[in-house]
Structure formats: structure tokens, C-alpha cells
Amino acid sequence: MSAAFSTGTLSDTERLRTERARILAELLDAVDELADRAVETMRREIPAYEARGPEFRADVREQVGRHYRTKLAVLMEERTVTFEDIAFTRRASMRRAQSGFDLADYINAFRVGQQVFWEAVVEHAGRSYAGHEAALTMASPLMRYCDFASTHAANAYAEFQRYAAAETVRESRDLVELLLGGEAPTRGPQLATAHAHGLNPDSRAPLVVVAAVLVGADVKADARHAACAAIARSGITKHRTLAVVRQSEIVAVPSLGPGGDPERLCDRLQSVQENLLAEGIVLAMGISTVVEGMAQIPRAYQEARGVLEYLPEDGGVAALPRISPFEYMALRADDTARHLVDPRVSDLLAEDRMRGGVLTATIRAFAAADLNLRAAAERLQIHHNTAQYRLRRIQERTGRNLRHFTDLVDLLVAIALQDVLPPATNPGRKRLVSATNETDGTADVPSAHEPR
């Protein structure tokens, strides 16, 4: 009797899942039609949407379609919606705020979109008991999606309003122009703005300058403002970072505060770049060395602008506080420096790069371990004999003995020069490893040419 009951329950579950899959598949086929229906409903129920032109309605339709497809993906995969799923809403929220939309109307549009979608679920569920039950299983996840998405949309809307309100005050931009010109505010609104951002003309408090540009052929103004707003939130002190859009670039002057840690700030800015990338905003960001006081801001700005040229075409973060003088000299090297590298060394590194870079990793690890082979082997997670074998191979191929300081320096210089070659020339290059905080993994990559 118990077994019979169990079999019947399983059968009901299977029918429920089949009906649910059918409904979702039908909705996926009808997404474009549903998006049109939702936009028309918004126009009827929300006067602010009716007053807008076709370009705006096309934007709304595109957003509604993306939400519907995301909802369906979440339901089909039976998981909870995440911020990464709805990252695209951020820029749309800022566009609504920028165009003067009332927040209540914007959130009301989310309600309308949810209502149209739910009505479609019920419609496609049909009249069967299994169809009704399958539709009910989707009610709670859809409510959670709407709450989650509308909350993040409202936050992005409010964030842009705060940012736009600050931007409408000319003192912020005027202050940046003044600082880049080598002057410091002495009185009035500009001085008050400086203090509000943790910048004191009378102190030698540490700070950096950030220069950022958006990468891509079709850069929208709202994306630049979104990036600027994100950078403005990245400070490590109690003050908001001074950040403005300056023609095609973004300039920011984060104050580190007394005893401030530039590494922590670089971590924050790295996260900003990565989060924006998830939203489809590709940012290249240069961070200056740490300077003391406003008088050094023009020099710091030139540093931040200059280091941008060493980033690849797909953006990234080049942070001078993380680059050693040795690495910076390699970045600045010309073709003559590369021509001075022994061809035997160049050939080995080129060949090694195509085979996974195990010998290059061994050279780096040996130097980092202060020429202690056992420590280098532990760092690489390989046997001591394997590390010894690699050193012999390097010496045989290049004539360089890694235990001799000058030979080791030659190899490290050659590696550094190789690292900064353009990707087309050096397809295995890491993207400014030290500059972007993209650390090397410690796991070893076995070579096909060494003993196990």
C-alpha cells in the first residue's frame, strides 16, 4: 500500500514538471509578443510612458524582453535570481532618472510587466489541473524576481539622482579643473567641495589620481556617467571620492586619509572595473602613484593618463602603486631593449610560452624564493628534482645559470619585456599582471618534456 502511494506521488510530480516545462517553452516562443503587450499596457496605464516617443518605447521594449527571458531562464533552471542576471537594469535605471522619469512611474512599470507575464502564465497553463498546479509553482519565484529586480532598479535610479544632483553643481567640475591646473581652492564653494571630498589644501594628506576611459566603438553617455558614479563610491575614507566626467574621460581624486592603504583603494577600483564589465561597460583605468597634497595632483594626473597606454584593448586597471620600478622600466622599454636580449633567451621564452610557460614560471618562482630551489619547488607544487631538471634545461638552452645573479637578472628582464608586448605579438601575455592584481596561480603546469 505504501509502495503504491509512493509511485502515484512520483507520477504526479513528473506530470507537474512536464506541464511546467511546456508552459515555459511556450512563453519563451512568445517573448517578443509578450514584450509588445507589456509596452502597450504601460502606455495605457502610465501617462508618463504614453507621452514618450518611439525611441523611448523601443528602449522599454528591449528591457522588458530581457527581463522576460531572464525570468524564464531562472524558472527553467529552478534557481534564485542573482545580481549578475539583472546587471543590465542598472544602466536603464540611470537612463530613466536622467530623462526625468518619476521613480514611482518607473517601479509601476515593473508591476505592469509582472502582471502581463503572470497573465500569460495562466493563459498558457490551460484548463487542466496539472497546468494550474504548474502555474502556481511559479507564483512565488516570479514575485521574488520582481521584488529583487525592482529593488535594484530603484537603488540604481536613486544612485544616479544623487550623482546627477552633485554633477549639477558646477563646483565639482570647476574644482577638478583648478586642481589639474596646479592650483588649490582658497575660499568659497570650491573650498567647501574640496573639504566635502576629504581634500584639504593646507595638508599633505596622501591621495592618488585616477584617469579612466570607456573602451569600445559605441560608447553611450549614460555608461560614462554610470562608471563615474561607481568610481565616486569606491573611496576608502568616510568621504565620497571627487569624480567627474571630463569630456571623454573620467577623472577622480580619491583621498587616502591619514595612514590610508593604497592597496585597499586599488582593490576597490579593481572591483568597480570588474562589476562594470559585467554590465557591459568596458573601462580602462589608470591609477597614479601616491602623492602628498594638492600641489602634486597635475603630476599624478599625467602618471594616470600615461599608464593607460599599457593596457590592452579590452580595458583593465593599471595601478602604479602595484608596479615595481623594475616592471615600470620594462613597460617603458623600446625595441632596442628587446634587440639586446640574447636570441637564445628569446627563443626559449617564445617556445615556453606556447607550451604553457612552465619554465618562465620556474624562473619567477626561483627569484621570488631568493634562489632557494626547494622553496621554489614548493611554491610551484612540484618535486625538487623536477625543479632541478628545469634549471638544467634553462641553462643548456640559454647559457644562463640561474644561481648567478647577473644571469638571473638577464632572464627576468627578458621575461618582463615579453610580458608587456601587445597581445597580437605575444598571445600568451598576461594583462599587466602586477598592475591589475591578476596574480599568478601557484599550481604547476606539467611540461611534456620533463620527468614525472
Side-chain angles (χ1 to χ4, degrees):
M1 195 171 173
S2 172
F5 178 79
S6 175
T7 302
T9 302
L10 180 59
S11 178
D12 290 340
T13 300
E14 288 176 342
R15 282 198 297 270
L16 191 65
R17 293 180 69 87
T18 300
E19 279 297 291
R20 180 184 171 109
R22 176 189 64 78
I23 295 170
L24 294 175
E26 292 177 2
L27 291 173
L28 186 60
D29 289 338
V31 162
D32 291 335
E33 177 188 339
L34 291 176
D36 289 335
R37 190 187 306 174
V39 172
E40 287 305 309
T41 306
M42 291 174 192
R43 291 180 63 185
R44 289 197 306 271
E45 297 187 13
I46 308 172
Y49 278 69
E50 173 60 25
R52 297 286 169 156
E55 183 177 343
F56 170 81
R57 287 195 290 273
D59 185 18
V60 174
R61 185 188 181 285
E62 191 268 342
Q63 287 293 306
V64 172
R66 293 186 71 174
H67 274 293
Y68 283 178
R69 289 184 177 88
T70 304
K71 286 180 184 181
L72 289 168
V74 169
L75 290 169
M76 288 175 172
E77 295 167 14
E78 298 184 4
R79 61 180 177 81
T80 303
V81 61
T82 66
F83 175 76
E84 288 72 23
D85 292 324
I86 61 166
F88 62 89
T89 62
R90 178 185 178 86
R91 293 174 64 181
S93 301
M94 292 188 169
R95 288 197 296 275
R96 302 296 176 267
Q98 190 175 28
S99 63
F101 254 80
D102 188 80
L103 179 58
D105 288 335
Y106 185 43
I107 299 304
N108 194 17
F110 273 88
R111 178 193 62 79
V112 171
Q114 175 79 340
Q115 175 186 322
V116 170
F117 191 88
W118 175 247
E119 289 173 353
V121 170
V122 174
E123 177 185 338
H124 285 270
R127 298 179 178 275
S128 70
Y129 174 82
H132 287 173
E133 289 296 304
L136 287 175
T137 66
M138 292 183 258
S140 181
L142 286 174
M143 290 175 61
R144 285 197 298 270
Y145 181 99
C146 189
D147 289 343
F148 188 83
S150 60
T151 297
H152 281 282
N155 289 339
Y157 180 102
E159 174 189 299
F160 184 86
Q161 280 197 321
R162 290 192 298 269
Y163 168 74
E167 275 292 283
T168 57
V169 181
R170 291 194 56 183
E171 283 75 13
S172 291
R173 288 183 178 174
D174 290 345
L175 175 59
V176 168
E177 294 300 328
L178 188 73
L179 295 174
L180 294 181
E183 300 181 47
T186 57
R187 65 173 72 86
Q190 290 181 359
L191 181 59
T193 301
H195 285 155
H197 291 90
L199 304 172
N200 186 347
D202 299 325
S203 75
R204 295 176 59 84
L207 54 89
V208 300
V209 173
V210 177
V213 293
L214 268 65
V215 179
D218 186 23
V219 175
K220 298 291 192 301
D222 65 287
R224 192 172 288 117
H225 286 287
C228 187
I231 292 173
R233 298 194 317 272
S234 63
I236 60 173
T237 70
K238 64 180 181 180
H239 301 285
R240 185 179 178 85
T241 294
L242 176 65
V244 300
V245 174
R246 187 172 180 259
Q247 298 177 351
S248 62
E249 69 176 352
I250 299 166
V251 177
V253 187
S255 171
L256 297 177
D261 182 8
E263 285 287 327
R264 185 180 167 205
L265 177 65
C266 290
D267 287 342
R268 293 277 186 93
L269 292 170
Q270 184 79 40
S271 295
V272 166
Q273 195 272 340
E274 293 168 355
N275 291 337
L276 290 172
L277 187 61
E279 299 176 25
I281 301 175
V282 184
L283 194 68
M285 190 185 308
I287 306 173
S288 75
T289 59
V290 178
V291 298
E292 294 183 350
M294 292 184 176
Q296 301 298 317
I297 286 178
R299 175 175 67 80
Y301 170 70
Q302 293 302 323
E303 290 179 353
R305 284 286 301 172
V307 78
L308 281 176
E309 69 180 273
Y310 302 115
L311 285 169
E313 294 180 357
D314 55 349
V317 179
L320 286 176
R322 286 184 168 145
I323 300 177
S324 70
F326 176 80
E327 292 166 325
Y328 185 72
M329 286 190 293
L331 286 173
R332 302 280 294 180
D334 57 17
D335 288 339
T336 301
R338 294 181 180 88
H339 294 156
L340 291 171
V341 175
D342 188 327
R344 293 177 298 173
V345 174
S346 298
D347 291 345
L348 175 71
L349 295 179
E351 178 184 319
D352 181 56
R353 182 169 66 243
M354 303 307 295
R355 290 178 171 170
V358 294
L359 298 182
T360 300
T362 302
I363 296 170
R364 293 186 196 273
F366 190 60
D370 295 327
L371 312 192
N372 185 319
L373 187 59
R374 289 194 178 278
E378 290 176 4
R379 180 185 291 263
L380 293 169
Q381 298 180 12
I382 60 176
H383 192 274
H384 172 268
N385 291 342
T386 301
Q388 183 69 55
Y389 170 78
R390 291 183 184 179
L391 294 193
R392 286 200 306 270
R393 282 191 60 210
I394 293 167
Q395 184 170 353
E396 290 168 0
R397 290 287 305 277
T398 66
R400 264 60 175 186
N401 185 338
L402 271 70
R403 296 187 181 280
H404 295 168
F405 178 75
T406 54
D407 286 355
L408 178 59
V409 169
D410 276 352
L411 290 167
L412 291 173
V413 168
I415 291 171
L417 292 173
Q418 171 190 274
D419 282 345
V420 298
L421 286 173
T425 307
N426 179 14
R429 182 188 71 151
K430 297 179 177 64
R431 288 174 23 182
L432 284 184
V433 175
S434 299
T436 60
N437 196 30
E438 297 171 11
T439 54
D440 286 330
T442 56
D444 178 51
V445 182
S447 168
H449 302 280
E450 63 189 31
R452 298 295 189 270

